[in-house]
């Protein structure tokens, strides 16, 4: 395993050079970080370089680092992570790129490089508000029409901003401010001492 990771690391450095801003080896895996502005060129190289041949995008997800490390994180807030597979080389690599602007996170779409990115980029847009310029149809995919906010952001309220219900008078679904009553949480006793013992029966 170590020899294979050494070979992969050398191939990545040879192909990408100083486009790699950070390379991490942990748990038998390699993660490379690149600038958001370089992600498309890097992705093209990872796919087309014969010695790498990362032809498959397995997964893509957004990350919000705003409270990472108990609030000690000082880097960019939003990142996009790509999990790639090279079937010809039997290699996997994780690619991470940070969005330059925390207020308007944006990173180039990779749909034209890996078509599987289509759905995943829509999920990251829906849940994190990360915009992917060049995406052919960037719309919400899992939340409802008219949903307010991005539910996977760390500052999104746990109970949400609005609730949805059917209004019989208007005969349609409506949104209204959340009206969740605070609930007193009391501990629940799962098993009392001597629970289920028959009268006159002693253990031991």
């Amino acid at each position: 395993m170590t020899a294979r990771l050494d070979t992969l690391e050398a191939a990545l450095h040879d192909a990408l050079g100083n486009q790699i801003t950070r390379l991490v080896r942990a748990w038998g895996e390699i993660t490379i970080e690149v600038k958001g502005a370089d992600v498309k060129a890097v992705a093209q190289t990872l796919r087309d370089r014969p010695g790498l041949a990362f032809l498959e995008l397995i997964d893509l997800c957004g990350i919000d680092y705003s409270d990472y490390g108990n609030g000690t994180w000082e880097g960019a807030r939003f990142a996009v992570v790509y999990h790639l597979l090279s079937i010809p080389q039997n290699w996997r690599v994780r690619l991470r790129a940070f969005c330059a602007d925390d207020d308007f996170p944006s990173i180039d779409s990779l749909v034209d490089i890996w078509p599987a990115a289509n759905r995943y980029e829509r999920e990251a847009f829906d849940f994190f508000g990360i915009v992917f310029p060049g995406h052919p149809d960037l719309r919400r995919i899992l939340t409802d029409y008219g949903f307010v906010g991005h539910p996977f952001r760390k500052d999104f309220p746990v109970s949400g901003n609005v609730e949805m219900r059917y209004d019989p008078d208007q005969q349609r679904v409506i949104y209204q401010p959340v009206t969740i009553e605070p609930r007193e949480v009391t501990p629940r006793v799962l098993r009392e001492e001597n629970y289920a013992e028959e009268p006159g029966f002693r253990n031991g």
Side-chain angles (χ1 to χ4, degrees):
M1 175 64 78
T2 301
R4 285 187 57 76
L5 288 181
D6 289 342
T7 303
L8 174 56
E9 182 175 341
L12 290 168
H13 280 299
D14 181 58
L16 300 173
N18 59 12
Q19 287 180 307
I20 298 176
T21 60
R22 185 168 177 244
L23 187 147
V24 178
R25 286 175 59 162
W27 307 104
E29 300 175 345
I30 289 181
T31 300
I32 58 172
E33 289 183 8
V34 302
K35 295 178 181 178
D38 292 337
V39 72
K40 193 152 193 175
V42 167
Q44 191 88 48
T45 301
L46 290 173
R47 187 194 69 178
D48 296 343
R49 184 96 165 201
L52 296 173
F54 287 99
L55 306 178
E56 304 290 333
L57 172 69
I58 302 301
D59 189 21
L60 175 161
C61 62
I63 301 178
D64 180 357
Y65 282 95
S66 58
D67 65 354
Y68 183 76
N70 295 319
T72 61
W73 181 258
E74 296 182 353
R77 176 177 177 180
F78 296 101
V80 179
V81 175
Y82 309 82
H83 296 266
L84 307 175
L85 170 65
S86 171
I87 294 177
Q89 302 291 344
N90 192 24
W91 280 339
R92 292 178 184 268
V93 74
R94 184 181 298 109
L95 170 66
R96 178 167 52 197
F98 285 89
C99 302
D101 188 347
D102 290 350
D103 295 326
F104 187 76
S106 172
I107 204 158
D108 285 339
S109 172
L110 300 184
V111 171
D112 56 345
I113 296 176
W114 294 297
N118 191 320
R119 175 185 175 86
Y120 298 133
E121 289 179 355
R122 287 182 63 184
E123 287 181 357
F125 167 69
D126 195 355
F127 287 156
F128 292 94
I130 299 172
V131 177
F132 294 88
H135 190 285
D137 186 22
L138 194 62
R139 294 176 291 128
R140 289 187 182 271
I141 191 169
L142 293 173
T143 57
D144 194 23
Y145 297 109
F147 188 88
V148 178
H150 303 284
F152 278 14
R153 288 190 175 190
K154 298 299 183 181
D155 54 5
F156 188 82
V158 174
S159 60
N161 292 309
V162 295
E163 60 185 353
M164 178 183 69
R165 68 175 179 85
Y166 179 77
D167 188 306
D169 296 328
Q170 300 183 48
Q171 297 185 351
R172 66 181 183 87
V173 173
I174 65 169
Y175 290 87
Q176 61 188 34
V178 172
T179 56
I180 297 177
E181 295 290 333
R183 184 177 67 171
E184 181 179 347
V185 179
T186 56
R188 184 172 57 144
V189 177
L190 297 179
R191 178 167 290 184
E192 298 176 358
E193 188 177 358
N194 302 322
Y195 176 78
E197 284 190 6
E198 295 182 10
F201 177 82
R202 294 183 59 190
N203 292 320

